[in-house]
Amino acid sequence: MSDSKVKLWTKQLLLKLGLDVRISRPHDVALMQQSLLSSSDVTDVIDGGAYHGEWTAIYRRMLPTARVHAFEPFPESFAVLQRSFGDDAQVVLNQSALGSSQGDRTLNVQNLAATNSFLPIDPRLAPDLPEPSWVRPNGSVTVRVTTIDHYLESTGIERIGVVKLDVQGTELDVLLGTQKALEDGRIGILYLELLLSPAYVGQAEHFEISAFLADFGYRIFGLYNFAMARTGRLMQCDAVFVGPQLRLPV
């Protein structure tokens, strides 16, 4: 019996048992981005909310000829980026936050710097965390803010393969400062953190982000990295949005 007949017979048997088994690509968000961009000549990537550079390093490996523009406003975290990528000519380090307008803004600092945000912590968040002290207030700092539209104009960058945003509830505010690039179809994919339960007061809701991007023809391609609260509630996940101009792999 040929392999194709064996596969067909096995599939039919499993269907009779109520099982539908399919072979799919690995559910890895980095591999999926690489696949989505495989037919594009990616020269530049934006890592918004770079923190210590985890995704900056991933994009450097994944897209070795592209420049990664990393944005991180918190001085201590930016110092880590400098130590890791200061000698890498393909990484452009920006000690700045991204937002809807240029200027200075107060960043709320928590014990765990990865949770720093322009927004105050929602008191309902701490009990859901593995370690509630992560979001204990630890002061504030004034940081510089720029917009993606201004950055692209000032640097002369024509197209961005990926805009990655991990900006602790202010994703929609950053996207408001990216409208011209979205209108012009200059961004291939967006990789965003979506908050699905209360984390910050005034946070961008997942449905607001989806509706905003839909107006520019961007749709969710996949959801990844689901994080659950101790109560079992879904807290957040990552989403890849694909623009209308990107030719999807077969």
Side-chain angles (χ1 to χ4, degrees):
M1 185 181 293
S2 66
D3 288 344
S4 60
K5 288 183 178 179
V6 170
K7 291 178 182 177
L8 178 60
W9 180 84
T10 303
K11 183 177 179 66
Q12 290 173 339
L13 176 61
L14 289 171
L15 285 172
K16 288 180 181 179
L17 296 173
L19 301 174
D20 186 5
V21 178
R22 299 172 183 269
I23 298 175
S24 64
R25 298 182 184 186
H27 201 65
D28 180 277
V29 68
L31 292 176
M32 188 54 66
Q33 290 181 68
Q34 188 173 38
S35 176
L36 289 170
L37 296 168
S38 60
S39 60
S40 304
D41 181 18
V42 179
T43 58
D44 294 275
V45 170
I46 285 179
D47 182 358
Y51 189 46
H52 291 170
E54 175 190 7
W55 274 96
T56 295
I58 290 173
Y59 287 128
R60 284 293 290 120
R61 294 193 298 269
M62 189 170 78
L63 303 164
T65 62
R67 289 175 296 182
V68 181
H69 305 262
F71 290 81
E72 173 53 52
F74 187 52
E76 292 178 15
S77 299
F78 186 77
V80 176
L81 284 178
Q82 285 183 310
R83 289 194 294 270
S84 299
F85 302 101
D87 295 328
D88 190 336
Q90 290 298 102
V91 176
V92 182
L93 298 177
N94 297 275
Q95 189 173 355
S96 171
L98 294 171
S100 58
S101 61
Q102 293 178 263
D104 292 336
R105 195 169 174 184
T106 300
L107 183 71
N108 299 307
V109 178
Q110 275 72 240
N111 276 352
L112 179 64
T115 67
N116 293 351
S117 177
F118 291 130
L119 305 174
I121 294 289
D122 190 304
R124 292 171 288 182
L125 173 61
D128 282 342
L129 297 175
E131 178 47 69
S133 66
W134 287 349
V135 292
R136 188 174 298 151
N138 194 22
S140 64
V141 62
T142 300
V143 300
R144 186 167 61 92
V145 183
T146 190
T147 72
I148 289 179
D149 280 339
H150 178 267
Y151 186 77
L152 297 185
E153 181 180 359
S154 63
T155 56
I157 297 172
E158 291 295 326
R159 181 171 171 76
I160 294 289
V162 185
V163 169
K164 168 259 173 185
L165 297 179
D166 185 356
V167 289
Q168 306 307 303
T170 64
E171 289 78 11
L172 188 57
D173 187 62
V174 176
L175 293 173
L176 288 170
T178 315
Q179 290 187 79
K180 188 176 189 306
L182 294 171
E183 288 173 355
D184 296 342
R186 295 169 64 184
I187 299 172
I189 63 177
L190 294 112
Y191 173 41
L192 312 178
E193 180 182 77
L194 299 182
L195 298 177
L196 305 173
S197 65
Y200 299 92
V201 177
Q203 70 188 37
E205 300 290 352
H206 62 92
F207 51 85
E208 295 176 309
I209 293 171
S210 296
F212 179 85
L213 289 174
D215 287 342
F216 300 97
Y218 287 79
R219 296 292 189 274
I220 288 180
F221 181 86
L223 300 174
Y224 310 84
N225 303 328
F226 297 94
M228 310 295 292
R230 293 190 296 181
T231 59
R233 180 172 58 183
L234 182 59
M235 295 180 65
Q236 66 183 52
C237 68
D238 296 335
V240 170
F241 290 80
V242 176
Q245 75 286 355
L246 191 69
R247 187 169 72 251
L248 299 181
V250 178

